[in-house]
Amino acid sequence: PRKIAEILVARLEAKASGVQEVSVAGPGFINMKLDPSWLDRVIPEVLAQDEAYGRSGYGAGHRVQVEFVSANPTGLPHMGNARGAALGDAIASLLDAAGYQVSREYYINDAGNQIEKFGQSLEARYLQELGQDAEFPEDGYHGQDVTDTVRGYIEKEGDGLLTEEPEKRRLILAEYALEEKLSHIREALTRFGVRYDNWFRESTLYETGAVEHTLEVLRSRGYVYESEGATWLAATKFGEEKDEVMIRQNGTYTYFAADIAYHLNKIERGFETLINVWGADHHGHVARMKGAMGALGQDPDRLEVVIMQLVRLFSGGEMLRMSKRTGRFVTLDELMDEVGVDAARYFFVMRSADSHLDFDMDLARSKTSDNPVFYVQYAHARVCSILRQSGVPDYGDGDVSLLTEPAERELTDRIARLPGTIVLAAQAREPHRMCTYAHELAGLFHSFYASCRVLGVEPELMKARLKLVDATRITLRNVLTLIGVSAPEKM
RNA sequence: GCGCCAGUAGCUCAGUUGGAUAGAGCAACGGACUUCUAAUCCGUAGGUCAGGGGUUCGAAUCCCUUCUGGCGUGCCA
């Protein structure tokens, strides 16, 4: 390889393209050293683009839908949902910045079995609250929030349901609770900084006949059969270990049947790529969902599922279990109260999705340097402080070629890498890379700060450095915005 | 049993898709505030990349295998 490299280098005419020097190194690498003036183009461009800096047209308007959180509206969003929210939103933002046309969606499971269970739980609490003897379903929702909801209902609507048909009673209570939960979920996610383009209700798939239609499509393609009183999907035909029930013996559709209809619906709405962010407890669903796409005659690769490993919550050195069933879990709201939105979002995005996340509440709660989000935010605050105190009304004519210190060059170099980093992170659907980038950029700025004074140096150099500082501000802010973390001007 | 994810410094984790001497943050140790925010910086120390085979010029990264932990393997969602 070295000899080949030498032959190539001898024939390269690099000077014309801004390359200062070409050399062979190591086992046969061809190193091209850019002309120092190459970096001088960076800062003016960043200042000119401002909020658009980092964005690119890489995705060429390709239509992508990101579906995330989609927590059952039978409870409040918990830590796992919070990770999904931070992750999904950041992935969507990354794709948007990389030039894709992105739509964020929340799938509301307002139909099916769990709603039935929800109704039973509500009914039991309702009766109990009104002094009746009612048995609480074993696999019901044990959370205190169910009782709270019921109390609120009684306060508003009274005890009229005592005389209602049980089935209708459950339906009324479930509908009431569903809307209440849903509005809490919206509020919590809004507070968390997440905005959805669409909230999609599972129930509409039944109302519009989409589920039946989907089943017909599958049937016509030879993937459906009847057995033991149930209707099955021949999943083994597309490589699954066993077939799956679509319609139960009791005539109701399974979650899987509705989910296939939902994904067909997404395709029909014109999304070219579908990205779902799911918890690890759903990973068994991935292969059969992709297989079902194929069975529908769609390209399975259009569906991508980002699986995130579960969150373990530690407080006071003790691990807390999270379960809606037992009702013992930390809600997204409680998390935001405890550690704030910025720390929470940074913590969730910081780690790659396929690592387990041990969320240390005590650490996130602490406002000390142990907390990595402060390191990055502090860099931004320092930047703003310099700009605020500079007293220089206009440094637009600053000459950035005066920036020759190693710390200045390294900082500029890293600033220049934002657009490429965003594209790579978007391609890989890995927003944690942006945290790594932000942390490195902040570190380079802190080093620069320690070795190069800005204010009070001779005027021409000061103006050049103010430009660099301003470009750092823009870059830090744009990265933080991308992951949903604020960029404070003072700390 | 089978499948997915993980195993990298004392701890928590990165590692740009197979490249050059494996990097950060905490924790430890030693330095730096008359000057733009010390929530910072500079330095020192810390490694059998879980173990073992293999692929090749070259492996933390790919393949096989063993071990450990988590999750899944429902006519639940």
Side-chain angles (χ1 to χ4, degrees), chain A residues 108-305:
Chain A
I108 304 166
N109 298 115
D110 63 341
N113 215 0
Q114 83 279 6
I115 296 300
E116 184 58 34
K117 294 248 166 63
F118 192 41
Q120 288 166 8
S121 306
L122 287 158
E123 179 184 42
R125 291 290 182 234
Y126 180 84
L127 296 173
Q128 287 168 355
E129 282 298 307
L130 293 171
Q132 305 268 320
D133 195 23
E135 198 179 331
F136 195 82
E138 184 63 33
D139 50 356
Y141 295 86
H142 289 74
Q144 175 62 35
D145 57 304
V146 172
T147 307
D148 294 342
T149 297
V150 163
R151 282 181 185 155
Y153 179 85
I154 293 170
E155 215 164 279
K156 276 185 223 162
E157 309 289 338
D159 61 0
L161 294 183
L162 283 175
T163 55
E164 190 59 78
E165 284 285 311
E167 197 171 324
K168 185 152 187 212
R169 179 163 65 203
R170 288 195 289 273
L171 198 70
I172 290 170
L173 284 170
E175 268 180 23
Y176 171 85
L178 213 63
E179 293 315 313
E180 183 184 278
K181 292 293 178 201
L182 215 46
S183 80
H184 284 158
I185 290 170
R186 285 176 200 261
E187 278 169 30
L189 287 170
T190 300
R191 182 180 166 204
F192 201 48
V194 178
R195 288 275 157 79
Y196 283 96
D197 297 294
N198 193 30
W199 295 73
F200 190 98
R201 285 175 187 261
E202 180 186 355
S203 55
T204 62
L205 293 169
Y206 294 104
E207 289 159 9
T208 62
V211 182
E212 283 172 56
H213 168 70
T214 302
L215 226 73
E216 276 316 304
V217 173
L218 290 168
R219 201 187 303 275
S220 71
R221 296 177 59 86
Y223 285 99
V224 178
Y225 67 92
E226 316 284 328
S227 174
E228 301 167 41
T231 301
W232 296 74
L233 179 69
T236 44
K237 283 195 179 177
F238 47 79
E240 288 300 288
E241 280 184 20
K242 53 185 178 44
D243 294 340
E244 301 283 344
V245 170
M246 305 279 282
I247 304 176
R248 301 183 186 94
Q249 268 184 343
N250 68 12
T252 59
Y253 287 98
T254 60
Y255 168 84
F256 188 38
D259 217 20
I260 297 172
Y262 178 41
H263 284 81
L264 181 59
N265 173 282
K266 292 182 183 187
I267 297 272
E268 285 168 352
R269 278 187 278 157
F271 296 112
E272 295 160 88
T273 299
L274 311 176
I275 298 177
N276 294 345
V277 180
W278 287 350
D281 53 340
H282 282 63
H283 82 255
H285 191 51
V286 177
R288 65 171 178 262
M289 193 62 235
K290 294 185 77 146
M293 293 281 289
L296 285 167
Q298 304 293 333
D299 178 4
D301 289 338
R302 286 172 71 176
L303 172 64
E304 293 176 31
V305 182

Side-chain angles (χ1 to χ4, degrees), chain A residues 68-79:
Chain A
F68 57 105
V69 183
S70 301
N72 279 341
T74 50
L76 296 171
H78 53 69
M79 292 290 284

